Each structure stands twice: as C-alpha cells, then as structure tokens.
Amino acid sequence: MIKVEHKDNVAIITLDRANRRNALGSAMVEDLERRFAELDRETSIGAIVLTGTQPSFCAGSDLKELGTMNLAEMAEHEAITAAIARKITFLNTPVIAAVEGHAFGGGFILACSCDLIVTSAAARWNLAEVPNGWLPPWGLQALASRVGPVVAKRLTFGHELLSGADVFRLGLADYVIDEGKSLEEAIRIASLIANMPQPAVASTKQFFAPLVAGASEVLDASANRVFIDNCKHDRAKATLARFGAKA
C-alpha cells in the first residue's frame, strides 16, 4: 500500500490504494510511519515527496475499516494517525506533498502536515467531518498554522468543495500547477532543497517546528475526545451506521 522510489537524492512515497482512493487504513498508517523514519535516517536523501496513486492524493480515514471498530477503537486509530502526522514536523528531512485528485478529510490534513504543498489547480479539497456529524479528530493545529484560526474554522465547517486554485489563494497550498503536473513540480522543488547543505535545512525545520506544531499534541487529544462525544449523537450515528460501526 506504500511505494517508495528514489530520484537522485529525493525519495518519493506514494500512497498506493487506488481502489480505496488511498484511504488511511491502519496498515497503511503504520507503514507510512516506518517509511518516514527510515528515509529520515538515510543520509543520501535530502527531501521526501508524498503523493498518491490516481485518482486521489488521499480520501481520508478508511471508513470501511472504521466500520468494524467500536468508538474506543476508532479513537485509538485516529490518535495513532494523529501522532504520525505530527511527527512530519519533527523530521530532519523536508516533506513536500504533491496533490492531485482528492484531498479529503484526513488526506486534507495529512497534506497540511507536510512542510510544503504543491497542488494541481483542479484538485478537490474538503473536510467532510462536520457534515458527517463530528469534529475532525486531529490535525487542526496544522491547518491553523497554515491559514490562521479564522480561515481554519471556515474550512473545518466543510461546507465548501474547494479547488487547488482556491486553497492556493487561501494560503493553504504553497504552489499551484496545471493538472497532472504536481508530482513533477514537487520533485523539482524537492531537488532544489535536497541539494542544499543538509545541516542547514534540518536546522531550519528544527527552528520552526515549535512554531508550526504549537499545542498540536494537546489539541489533538482534545479533538479526539470531542470526536468520540460527537459520534454518540444522531447525525454521526447515522453516518457510522452506513459503514456498520459499533456504537
């Protein structure tokens, strides 16, 4: 479910579950953490690009898998995913998201957790959690770090389906490119950074990490508790019931 390729001193991680729109199942999340850690230790790698097999970057949590869990198990799964996303900020190696297709829910936030975002203008971005009946259970600090709390709140309501061009204008994405070109552009940018002195690049990440991360661990824990409480209410129960979730 995860592919890793090397292009000179750039590593490319591809989420590879096209039949599930690269949804974040437990096995994929655990493998993603392992791949990040391995690549961060490789001195020959100066930057990492994170992308997804078409038709999506990532459609968020795997609701079919969540449908086999009770609420406590769902909370644990989302907490593990949250911790892995937070770790991206603390890697020494920059991570650049290359977004095509869909960046929904947890996929939206996973991209936000990367150091840089390259999106195609035609990509579709949305946080669907509130319409489903619950607060996103992690990553809202990463979103707010990019766009500020007021715009982060607007995006969290999830009432707008945004294009890559839209999220670039909002300051969420760092670069916008023609459809089908985001990976190529992300690799180009990654190569520029990878060829800089690695100690200086790592020091830049380390310096800004506490400013970007803020109170993310505390906020993720709080959001997870609210998520579980929200899932006990009627709208959320109806959503979860469609996937067979056990309340």
Side-chain angles (χ1 to χ4, degrees), residues 54-233:
Q54 288 295 327
S56 291
F57 172 72
C58 176
S61 295
D62 186 341
L63 293 180
K64 286 189 176 181
E65 181 182 12
L66 289 184
T68 68
M69 302 176 183
N70 59 37
L71 294 183
E73 290 166 339
M74 284 195 291
E76 181 178 4
H77 168 77
E78 296 298 337
I80 291 170
T81 306
I84 293 166
R86 289 196 305 270
K87 286 180 181 179
I88 294 173
T89 298
F90 297 97
L91 298 176
N92 288 322
T93 311
V95 180
I96 302 171
V99 178
E100 299 276 353
H102 311 89
F104 289 168
F108 186 121
I109 297 298
L110 180 61
C112 288
S113 301
C114 295
D115 297 291
L116 297 172
I117 298 174
V118 179
T119 181
S120 78
R124 291 293 178 260
W125 294 72
N126 180 252
L127 288 173
E129 286 86 349
V130 170
N132 281 337
W134 53 79
L135 180 75
W138 56 273
L140 295 179
Q141 173 70 57
L143 175 58
S145 290
R146 284 187 163 272
V147 298
V150 173
V151 175
K153 178 173 64 176
R154 166 188 163 184
L155 297 178
T156 302
F157 282 137
H159 60 294
E160 300 168 277
L161 179 62
L162 301 171
S163 69
D166 293 331
V167 297
F168 175 73
R169 285 193 293 269
L170 289 170
L172 178 77
D174 301 287
Y175 307 92
V176 64
I177 195 76
D178 293 340
E179 186 173 10
K181 300 291 186 179
S182 67
L183 179 58
E184 178 184 343
E185 179 67 3
I187 293 171
R188 186 188 72 81
I189 295 166
S191 295
L192 292 175
I193 297 173
N195 285 309
M196 294 177 181
Q198 288 189 9
V201 171
S203 294
T204 301
K205 282 208 61 173
Q206 291 162 6
F207 180 87
F208 283 100
L211 300 176
V212 173
S216 57
E217 187 170 2
V218 173
L219 291 174
D220 281 351
S222 176
N224 193 293
R225 288 192 294 270
V226 174
F227 162 67
I228 291 302
D229 184 62
N230 287 166
C231 286
K232 298 173 184 176
H233 293 273

Side-chain angles (χ1 to χ4, degrees), residues 13-16 22 50-58 98-100:
I13 297 177
T14 303
L15 307 178
D16 191 27
N22 304 321
L50 178 65
T51 192
T53 300
Q54 288 295 327
S56 291
F57 172 72
C58 176
V99 178
E100 299 276 353

Side-chain angles (χ1 to χ4, degrees), residues 21-39:
R21 292 189 176 184
N22 304 321
L24 297 170
S26 296
M28 174 182 275
V29 167
E30 291 172 7
D31 196 15
L32 185 61
E33 179 181 30
R34 180 173 63 84
R35 301 301 182 114
F36 275 138
E38 289 174 349
L39 292 172

Side-chain angles (χ1 to χ4, degrees), residues 4-12 39 42-49 93 187-188 190-195 198:
V4 176
E5 304 167 82
H6 292 72
K7 185 175 177 62
D8 299 322
N9 53 356
V10 173
I12 304 160
L39 292 172
E42 285 191 28
T43 57
S44 62
I45 297 299
I48 299 168
V49 172
T93 311
I187 293 171
R188 186 188 72 81
S191 295
L192 292 175
I193 297 173
N195 285 309
Q198 288 189 9

